Amino acid sequence: MPIESIFSYIYRKNLKTNYFTALRELNSHIRMKKFNLRKLLFLLAVLAPLSGLVAQMPAPLIWGTSPFQDSMWSVDTSSYSVANRMGPTTAGFTVTKMQSINYDPVGHDVYIVYEVTGVAGRLLGKMDVNTGVITQVGNLGMKFATISFRKDGQMFGVTGNGQLPNPETLFLIDKNTAATTLAIALGNGADGEIISYNYDDDMFYHWSGNSTMVFEKFPANTPYTPVTNIPTVGVSSGETFGAIYLGNNNFIISNISSQFKHVNANGSYGNVLFNAPDDMRGMAMPPRFAFDADTVCPGDTVNWFLMPGQARDTAVYHWGDGTSTTVFPAGSASHVYASAGNFTTYAILKNDSVGEDTMTSAPIRIFALPLVNILPGADTLICLADSVNLVASNGGTSQWYMNGTLLAGDTVPTLTVTTNGWYNMTKTNLNGCSDSAAVGIRVTFGDQPFVDLGADSTICDGDTVCITLPTIPGETFLWSTGSTNNTECLMAAGAYSVLAMDSVGCTESDTVQLTVVAAPNPTIGTNSLPCPTIDFVANDPNGLSWAWDFGDGGTGTGANVSHTYTANGTYTITLVASNSCFNITVNEILTINCIIGIDNSLGNAVRISPNPSNGDLMLNAILPSATSLSYAIRDLSGRLLLQKSNDDVRATWSEAIHLNAASGMYFLTVKAGEDMAVYRLIIE
């Protein structure tokens, strides 16, 4: 398991035990030559202790209102306890009662049915659940008991038994004006009249009645029938006051006994989840976002946490550094900042109806990492019989490691080394950001040889490169080719390695990659339809550039080119294919005989007049036998300007052609049955 995976696992699971087990597993998987001590130190900080390091995942909040007073509550579903209580307000009035609330999954607003002093009837409004402020939409004109939303954002409402006329009736409600449209009369049960939309089966579920409960469902689209009764199992505990759909055919309902309960789409009631402070009418669960950091170091992971609630959208997170993350279905996301800076991150919900809605934002500051270098240099092989001093950068606090193990007490920039091993050091700056040198130093005591085959090489096919290694007394070599010389000449592409051994058995190896550039091997391919525009293909896997001479004074570049000839004739096509080593030339003979000309015709059967013209001309054909006729006009680049095909079969044709084109030469291709001819057209 790499260090990143161990970190991710500990971070996700919030482990507070198995500290030494995790470190042993980590230590066994670190490559001693290149390891990141900053991540190791961060793991130590995560493991003991973890509490308070990151923000907790926000729990969904279910909001409900009282039909008897001006109070609204939110319930934390992680503990089923009251999280907030407030008295909603609206400009110019006092809120006295609230009948229902629900979340619009398309517009991302919470809507409320409420009453105020001095106004008759129940009102529809939008509410900010964070402040309790209601913005009035309009007067509903009827006593609606509950509202709910279909997945397309259409609001529905059901009137209570006290509404006359139209008690216990389903209406469509315009969420922008509060205007209502009759959908269907329900008329089952007494009191309650609660509906909740099931996203999975596209049905509304309806609770009605007090002592005798009615539970039923009906389609969410016209004609809203049939209405299907659902037998219930378990204890409903009386009249239903509110319901919210959780997914997977499960609901949470509130009842007249001030209880929260689970009930599924088959009518099975569960145990009491929560005893509410009042009978909560209507239920809504807007999505909740939380950002887990305000300051981190480059390479650390930050998270936007999302509990989607009733959202059925895509979540988009803009991280402020030019990157974004899209999550569908809406969920949480993580990000790693590569460099220091101050950024603002945004959490957004996106759907096809309203585009992107910014839900919230959070600032984040990324502190700079310390710069850590170790002398005598990265990847330095030291063969000494005594000791060596390793010197790293000054500033901050220091900690040396050998083979991934902390060296207790070695906390100054200079370390005296007397033992074989891999060494590195981490620096922690005043901002608390830590990093190690990009590459540790291996220290080996003994007469270890040094082998360096140099940088990877590229040669041309047929050339040879020779590598000569310096020698010391008693040193031997073994090449991957089988040679034991200190000089090896290479001409074939591939990876070559050598193992050097000194007189006491110390070994060192190195590898070099040899690339051989092959000569281009082009062949000219052509496609002559539609003549006189010819498509040329180089058919060459080894070339890097291609230069064409089309034999009529025209030239081109590239592996695939097109050229239009303006006169019949025999042309020599020349192609020069090149790469970093070679220039290869090939020729091809091409005959163009498809161009008829201005005054010529195909067997005197086709006439074009006038030619030249201003673009308006006639095509007349008197054919030996009845057949179909088609024609096409192209410019000198081969671009199609006009095309027509006639399915009629006859011997005499007269076609008016209207070409809106600039002055110049164009080609008219006429097909009569299996015969074809190309004419030059002159537009003046």
Side-chain angles (χ1 to χ4, degrees):
M1 181 185 296
I3 183 171
E4 290 85 1
S5 298
I6 296 172
F7 170 77
S8 177
Y9 177 79
I10 294 171
Y11 185 82
R12 291 195 316 270
K13 298 299 183 182
N14 198 26
L15 297 180
K16 297 183 180 180
T17 58
N18 298 324
Y19 176 87
F20 293 103
T21 300
L23 285 185
R24 283 195 299 270
E25 184 177 2
L26 174 64
N27 185 60
S28 67
H29 289 86
I30 295 176
R31 293 179 62 217
M32 291 299 105
K33 188 174 182 180
K34 296 184 178 181
F35 64 99
N36 193 322
L37 290 174
R38 179 178 60 81
K39 288 185 177 179
L40 178 61
L41 291 182
F42 196 68
L43 272 174
L44 299 178
V46 170
L47 284 167
L50 280 167
S51 59
L53 181 64
V54 296
Q56 295 296 314
M57 176 82 76
L61 295 181
I62 294 179
W63 293 85
T65 59
S66 172
F68 308 117
Q69 55 178 306
D70 63 346
S71 292
M72 179 175 69
W73 294 267
S74 66
V75 177
D76 188 327
T77 56
S78 65
S79 60
Y80 281 102
S81 59
V82 172
N84 298 283
R85 178 180 180 177
M86 66 179 69
T89 60
T90 188
F93 299 95
T94 299
V95 177
T96 57
K97 295 180 181 180
M98 293 162 285
Q99 294 297 325
S100 180
I101 61 172
N102 213 292
Y103 176 75
D104 178 5
V106 172
H108 308 136
D109 292 307
V110 174
Y111 284 82
I112 183 169
V113 177
Y114 65 107
E115 299 178 21
V116 297
T117 55
V119 176
R122 294 177 181 175
L123 307 178
L124 178 68
K126 291 183 183 179
M127 180 172 62
D128 184 342
V129 294
N130 297 306
T131 63
V133 175
I134 301 173
T135 301
Q136 181 178 325
V137 173
N139 197 316
L140 290 165
M142 285 182 282
K143 296 179 179 179
F144 279 93
T146 184
I147 56 174
S148 186
F149 284 90
R150 197 167 56 194
K151 61 185 175 184
D152 60 358
Q154 174 63 56
M155 180 188 292
F156 287 81
V158 176
T159 57
N161 288 75
Q163 170 61 42
L164 296 175
N166 298 319
E168 302 182 44
T169 301
L170 179 72
F171 286 85
L172 285 78
I173 301 176
D174 188 325
K175 61 188 177 185
N176 298 310
T177 64
T180 60
T181 303
L182 178 66
I184 185 175
L186 297 174
N188 289 321
D191 297 338
E193 309 312 328
I194 302 301
I195 58 169
S196 184
Y197 177 70
N198 183 330
Y199 286 87
D200 294 309
D201 62 10
D202 197 27
M203 303 280 282
F204 278 110
Y205 285 72
H206 176 219
W207 289 262
S208 182
N210 38 44
S211 59
T212 301
M213 280 292 302
V214 174
F215 185 34
E216 57 191 9
K217 65 180 180 180
F218 55 87
N221 295 279
T222 184
Y224 310 105
T225 58
V227 178
T228 304
N229 181 65
I230 304 172
T232 59
V233 178
V235 180
S236 64
S237 300
E239 178 184 339
T240 301
F241 266 49
I244 187 169
Y245 183 64
L246 303 178
N248 297 319
N249 289 315
N250 286 297
F251 300 85
I252 288 181
I253 61 99
S254 62
N255 58 34
I256 198 170
S257 301
S258 302
Q259 298 170 340
F260 277 20
K261 285 190 170 188
H262 276 301
V263 58
N264 64 27
N266 295 323
S268 295
Y269 281 82
N271 295 326
V272 175
L273 298 172
F274 172 62
N275 287 300
D278 198 348
D279 299 341
M280 293 173 65
R281 172 73 78 178
M283 303 171 80
M285 189 164 58
R288 298 185 67 203
F289 291 90
F291 193 61
D292 72 344
D294 52 10
T295 57
V296 296
C297 302
D300 293 343
T301 299
V302 297
N303 300 274
W304 267 111
F305 294 124
L306 167 63
M307 290 305 298
Q310 290 173 278
R312 299 296 190 273
D313 307 90
T314 297
V316 180
Y317 301 97
H318 293 299
W319 301 103
D321 60 354
T323 64
S324 61
T325 302
T326 300
V327 183
F328 180 81
S332 304
S334 300
H335 183 61
V336 175
Y337 289 93
S339 57
N342 295 316
F343 306 101
T344 300
T345 69
Y346 294 90
I348 294 166
L349 288 179
K350 176 183 178 182
N351 60 42
D352 294 336
S353 298
V354 297
E356 292 190 351
D357 275 356
T358 299
M359 297 292 104
T360 185
S361 63
I364 179 74
R365 182 177 182 183
I366 316 301
F367 289 127
L369 290 174
L371 179 63
V372 186
N373 293 312
I374 301 178
L375 298 176
D379 270 350
T380 300
L381 177 63
I382 304 172
C383 292
L384 301 173
D386 192 1
S387 64
V388 63
N389 286 334
L390 304 181
V391 181
S393 311
N394 287 312
T397 59
S398 307
Q399 178 61 62
W400 286 94
Y401 290 79
M402 183 184 76
N403 298 335
T405 300
L406 182 145
L407 297 175
D410 290 318
T411 57
V412 296
T414 300
L415 178 69
T416 300
V417 174
T418 60
T419 305
N420 292 347
W422 286 100
Y423 292 85
N424 206 327
M425 190 195 73
T426 185
K427 282 283 187 183
T428 302
N429 60 24
L430 296 179
N431 292 323
C433 294
S434 300
D435 203 359
S436 62
V439 180
I441 291 181
R442 181 179 65 178
V443 178
T444 303
F445 294 94
D447 296 327
Q448 186 168 359
F450 178 76
V451 178
D452 185 5
L453 296 181
D456 294 342
S457 299
T458 299
I459 62 174
C460 299
D461 192 10
D463 292 346
T464 300
V465 61
C466 294
I467 302 174
T468 299
L469 298 173
T471 61
I472 60 176
E475 187 174 14
T476 61
F477 300 96
L478 177 61
W479 291 82
S480 57
T481 61
S483 172
T484 58
N485 299 319
N486 73 313
T487 297
E488 183 71 356
C489 293
L490 311 171
M491 61 184 303
Y496 297 90
S497 62
V498 65
L499 177 69
M501 180 179 294
D502 66 11
S503 59
V504 296
C506 294
T507 62
E508 185 61 84
S509 64
D510 197 13
T511 300
V512 68
Q513 183 74 34
L514 181 64
T515 301
V516 177
V517 178
N521 184 26
T523 61
I524 298 176
T526 62
N527 178 8
S528 59
L529 293 176
C531 179
T533 297
I534 309 299
D535 295 329
F536 295 95
V537 180
N539 295 326
D540 178 20
N542 297 328
L544 296 178
S545 62
W546 299 266
W548 298 83
D549 185 329
F550 302 114
D552 64 348
T555 60
T557 58
N560 301 283
V561 296
S562 294
H563 181 66
T564 300
Y565 288 89
T566 59
N568 292 331
T570 299
Y571 301 93
T572 299
I573 313 304
T574 301
L575 168 63
V576 179
S578 305
N579 60 23
S580 59
C581 289
F582 302 95
N583 294 302
I584 303 298
T585 301
V586 293
N587 296 295
E588 182 85 13
I589 301 299
L590 178 66
T591 299
I592 300 295
N593 56 13
C594 63
I595 302 174
I596 299 300
I598 295 177
D599 299 322
N600 297 323
S601 63
L602 180 60
N604 295 319
V606 178
R607 296 287 184 180
I608 308 297
S609 64
N611 194 9
S613 72
N614 63 357
D616 293 328
L617 50 104
M618 292 296 297
L619 184 155
N620 295 291
I622 301 176
L623 306 175
S625 60
T627 185
S628 59
L629 184 79
S630 64
Y631 61 86
I633 299 178
R634 290 179 168 81
D635 62 16
L636 292 181
S637 68
R639 181 167 60 96
L640 181 66
L641 302 179
L642 183 63
Q643 186 175 31
K644 185 173 181 181
S645 177
N646 295 292
D647 295 329
D648 295 344
V649 176
R650 59 179 188 265
T652 301
W653 293 88
S654 181
E655 293 284 325
I657 298 176
H658 304 282
L659 179 63
N660 183 15
S663 298
M665 180 185 294
Y666 299 86
F667 290 105
L668 169 65
T669 301
V670 180
K671 290 187 68 176
E674 299 298 324
D675 296 324
M676 181 181 74
V678 179
Y679 299 85
R680 285 197 296 264
L681 298 180
I682 303 299
I683 303 300
E684 295 180 338

